[in-house]
Amino acid sequence: MVAVRYQTAFRLYPYEKVADQTAESPVRHPVVIVGGGPIGMALALDLGTRGIPCVVLDDHDGVGMGSRAICFAKRTLEICDRLGCGDPMVDKGVVWNVGRVYRDEKEVYSFNLLPEDGHKRPAFINLQQPYFEQFLVEEIRRQQALGAPIDIRGQNCVTAMEQKADHVVLDVDTPDGAYRIEADYLVACDGANSPIRAMMGLDFEGRVFEDNFLIADIRMLADFPVERRFWFDPPFNRGETALLHKQPDDVWRLDFQLGWNIDRKAELDPSRIRGRVSAMIGSDIDYELVWTSIYTFRCCTMKDYRHGRVFFAGDSAHQVSPFGARGANGGIQDIDNLAWKLAAVIKGDAPDELLDSYHQERKHGALENIKNSSRSADFLTPRNPAHALFRDAVLDLVEHFDFARPMVNSGRLSVPCTYDVSALNGADALSGGPPRSRPGSPCSDAPIGDGFLLDRLDGGFSVIAINTAIPEGMVVAEQAVDVINLTTETDTSGALRDRYLGDTPSAVYLIRPDQHVAARWASLDLAAIEFALNQALGKA
């Protein structure tokens, strides 16, 4: 019988018996995804819309309770736009760009995460994780109705796995008993305590931070600003930190730093939590406790994200502190990187070696996130007297000197990774081109006519030509390439020039299926484009 580990908020994929359970021999699937959280569902949606059959195995039949991951970054929303579910997320979410940092009750620093115009999506939205997952599953259902080969199996718990030379064998438990299936490729999206990782005898490298944090989701009607507000040493949580965020449905997320040596049961007592909440928001404000939890965290990573035909993504591969919203956002970038590569290899458009670049690129991204996350954690929870002295000195200085403000680290918030180290990067032959659009970088959005640039990228390889027209309908290295011809004559905002031309009059960009720049030139060179496309497919 499949164990129930948590209460579900939405029952999205109830158990149904499938033909695989009574097959005479194990059925082989191109891709099996273990874990139906946001990372697993996003991967299934991406693969399915590319025509790659995939099966999602999850040991529950829906999404868990509580806000958990709530801050979804601009890059995540852009990826979700490509997947077809960005609009309902933004419509439901609480949009914010401004954050404020306080010491005691005095504001010492504020920041705007989207200081420039010309982007379709905001810097961040706050959206409870159950809603995020719900919108992904709803889009999967729409795509299934259109023929996308995605199979979600709730209450299917993987109990054992064995990797062979050309496939993976999985034993699966269900309410109707056990069965066995096979996968050409297995992707573990099964979370921080990944059973697949444990079955393979693998572990993390990194640090556990000795601190505890209380989450309290409360429902209230309050005239608080829609901003991220962070406190050092507030009067309602002396010697510690606190955080306040607004979520949809009049729900607010409160985080309280508790310290390391705590009585967990006592801290979760509703009366004690209510005392903390009332001290923070005011004793005269009525509210309802919706969900509470205490968490600790690690900043760590697996050594390798690929093990033969098994891949790890999201928290199963790497973990960061919650400060900076780099966990779920980093996981979505994992699947954005992996899906098109799996599709290319399975369709025969690329060699197996392309899949090695998943580890190379996303390990680079994870290490970048861990570095920033660890620095935030050290500032918030100093691990030695030197760190504490630095933190206190910065907070003293920031009240009087502007130069100290950027040194206040309440969480360096998630930004997309540039794959400077990638073997897939092609030529950077655009002298004077903007650094932000160099090979390896995610494409910056920009207004184009009555729409936006990223909406023009269709999920395959694309060529963007600016001020140098290219014939449409290109086929390069046996790949159909979408051509987007643009001109700065209609670039009234100047964003296209600033983000893609810089000091050059024209440019040609080759864009990967995950909207990262593969290569760029000043003018059309078909041979160079073909070489760069082959390099991006791991052929060069």
Side-chain angles (χ1 to χ4, degrees):
M1 190 68 180
V2 179
V4 177
R5 295 185 293 109
Y6 53 78
Q7 182 181 357
T8 55
F10 304 124
R11 192 166 178 253
L12 299 177
Y13 30 92
Y15 170 75
E16 295 181 4
K17 193 169 184 177
V18 296
D20 285 8
Q21 292 172 250
T22 55
E24 291 185 1
S25 59
V27 176
R28 178 84 63 88
H29 298 274
V31 180
V32 172
I33 301 163
V34 178
I39 312 308
M41 289 302 178
L43 177 59
L45 180 56
D46 204 342
L47 289 171
T49 53
R50 296 180 187 278
I52 302 302
C54 58
V55 176
V56 180
L57 303 176
D58 193 85
D59 61 355
H60 283 64
D61 58 8
V63 302
M65 296 284 291
S67 56
R68 293 177 289 153
I70 65 164
C71 294
F72 293 98
K74 175 177 173 288
R75 182 62 196 142
T76 293
L77 300 176
E78 292 165 350
I79 294 168
C80 289
D81 278 339
R82 180 176 61 76
L83 297 177
C85 52
D87 283 343
M89 292 177 178
V90 175
D91 291 344
K92 181 68 176 179
V94 174
V95 175
W96 66 278
N97 292 316
V98 174
R100 301 189 185 278
V101 179
Y102 301 83
R103 187 185 194 187
D104 197 343
E105 296 181 287
K106 183 178 180 180
E107 181 180 330
V108 295
Y109 181 49
S110 65
F111 54 87
N112 187 334
L113 292 167
L114 194 65
E116 62 180 9
D117 295 326
H119 295 265
K120 178 181 177 180
R121 293 309 186 194
F124 278 88
I125 64 168
N126 285 353
L127 180 70
Q128 295 95 321
Q129 185 173 326
Y131 284 126
F132 187 86
E133 295 185 37
Q134 179 184 29
F135 293 136
L136 284 168
V137 173
E138 288 175 352
E139 184 59 29
I140 287 174
R141 298 305 186 200
R142 283 189 285 271
Q143 294 300 324
Q144 286 174 323
L146 296 173
I150 307 169
D151 182 1
I152 305 175
R153 301 182 185 178
Q155 289 187 272
N156 276 238
C157 178
V158 176
T159 57
M161 60 86 65
E162 182 182 3
Q163 183 165 195
K164 305 286 189 178
D166 63 348
H167 67 283
V168 180
V169 181
L170 298 166
D171 290 335
V172 185
D173 193 18
T174 76
D176 285 320
Y179 71 105
R180 176 171 288 182
I181 60 172
E182 297 176 351
D184 292 332
Y185 296 99
L186 172 67
V187 186
C189 303
D190 50 350
N193 297 313
S194 169
I196 297 297
R197 192 180 64 237
M199 290 173 196
M200 296 182 69
L202 303 171
D203 207 345
F204 284 124
E205 302 170 343
R207 295 169 53 198
V208 176
F209 285 80
E210 295 187 349
D211 216 324
N212 292 278
F213 294 82
L214 169 71
I215 298 174
D217 285 349
I218 65 172
R219 182 173 287 109
M220 67 174 175
L221 297 175
D223 190 26
F224 294 156
V226 182
E227 300 170 339
R228 178 186 190 264
R229 294 202 285 171
F230 190 96
W231 287 266
F232 290 97
D233 190 29
F236 53 83
N237 198 30
R238 280 296 180 205
E240 307 291 357
T241 62
L243 179 66
L244 176 67
H245 268 283
K246 186 176 183 180
Q247 306 175 72
D249 303 333
D250 296 317
V251 175
W252 294 74
R253 163 80 170 261
L254 287 63
D255 289 58
F256 299 91
Q257 184 180 12
L258 301 178
W260 182 240
N261 294 311
I262 65 167
D263 183 334
R264 190 181 183 91
K265 182 178 179 181
E267 291 292 352
L268 285 172
D269 182 88
S271 62
R272 189 159 184 165
I273 294 173
R274 287 184 174 279
R276 289 186 179 278
V277 172
S278 294
M280 183 183 199
I281 66 174
S283 59
D284 58 331
I285 296 179
D286 292 328
Y287 64 89
E288 170 194 355
L289 276 179
V290 176
W291 178 75
T292 60
S293 181
I294 289 177
Y295 66 88
T296 57
F297 60 87
R298 292 189 288 180
C299 290
C300 53
T301 177
M302 293 180 67
K303 181 180 179 181
D304 298 299
Y305 295 175
R306 181 186 186 184
H307 290 261
R309 291 181 170 264
V310 182
F311 299 84
F312 292 84
D315 283 352
S316 72
H318 46 75
Q319 295 175 40
V320 294
S321 82
F323 307 106
R326 293 172 179 269
N329 289 299
I332 293 296
Q333 290 177 52
D334 286 348
I335 66 91
D336 185 47
N337 186 285
L338 180 59
W340 73 269
K341 296 174 181 178
L342 275 172
V345 171
I346 290 170
K347 291 178 179 179
D349 294 332
D352 179 80
E353 288 76 15
L354 175 64
L355 297 174
D356 292 335
S357 69
Y358 167 70
H359 162 76
Q360 180 192 41
E361 293 183 340
R362 290 312 303 155
K363 180 71 175 285
H364 172 71
L367 291 174
E368 182 177 287
N369 283 332
I370 288 170
K371 178 182 70 175
N372 283 284
S373 182
S374 296
R375 288 175 178 174
S376 296
D378 284 335
F379 196 87
L380 298 172
T381 61
R383 55 177 169 153
N384 57 47
H387 281 121
L389 180 63
F390 173 77
R391 196 267 304 271
D392 293 343
V394 168
L395 293 175
D396 287 338
L397 287 169
V398 77
E399 296 187 37
H400 307 288
F401 301 101
D402 290 348
F403 80 86
R405 289 181 180 178
M407 300 166 69
V408 176
N409 193 339
S410 62
R412 298 283 186 254
L413 289 155
S414 176
V415 294
C417 177
T418 295
Y419 303 134
D420 285 319
V421 301
S422 178
L424 305 187
N425 290 345
D428 187 1
L430 187 65
S431 178
R436 69 190 290 174
S437 56
R438 66 190 183 274
S441 301
C443 288
S444 295
D445 208 1
I448 301 296
D450 58 357
F452 287 87
L453 175 60
L454 294 188
D455 286 340
R456 298 280 300 275
L457 303 177
D458 65 357
F461 280 97
S462 300
V463 169
I464 300 173
I466 306 173
N467 294 340
T468 175
I470 292 179
E472 297 184 3
M474 290 179 63
V475 176
V476 180
E478 301 181 346
Q479 294 283 316
V481 176
D482 186 41
V483 174
I484 303 168
N485 283 303
L486 304 172
T487 174
T488 54
E489 291 181 3
T490 57
D491 180 27
T492 56
S493 70
L496 185 64
R497 176 174 292 281
D498 290 344
R499 296 167 196 176
Y500 288 92
L501 288 182
D503 298 330
T504 64
S506 64
V508 175
Y509 282 81
L510 176 64
I511 308 301
R512 299 178 357 174
D514 57 1
Q515 299 179 350
H516 280 250
V517 176
R520 61 182 184 176
W521 307 267
S523 60
L524 175 63
D525 183 334
L526 286 175
I529 291 176
E530 181 172 359
F531 184 85
L533 194 149
N534 279 325
Q535 185 172 358
L537 285 171
K539 296 179 180 180

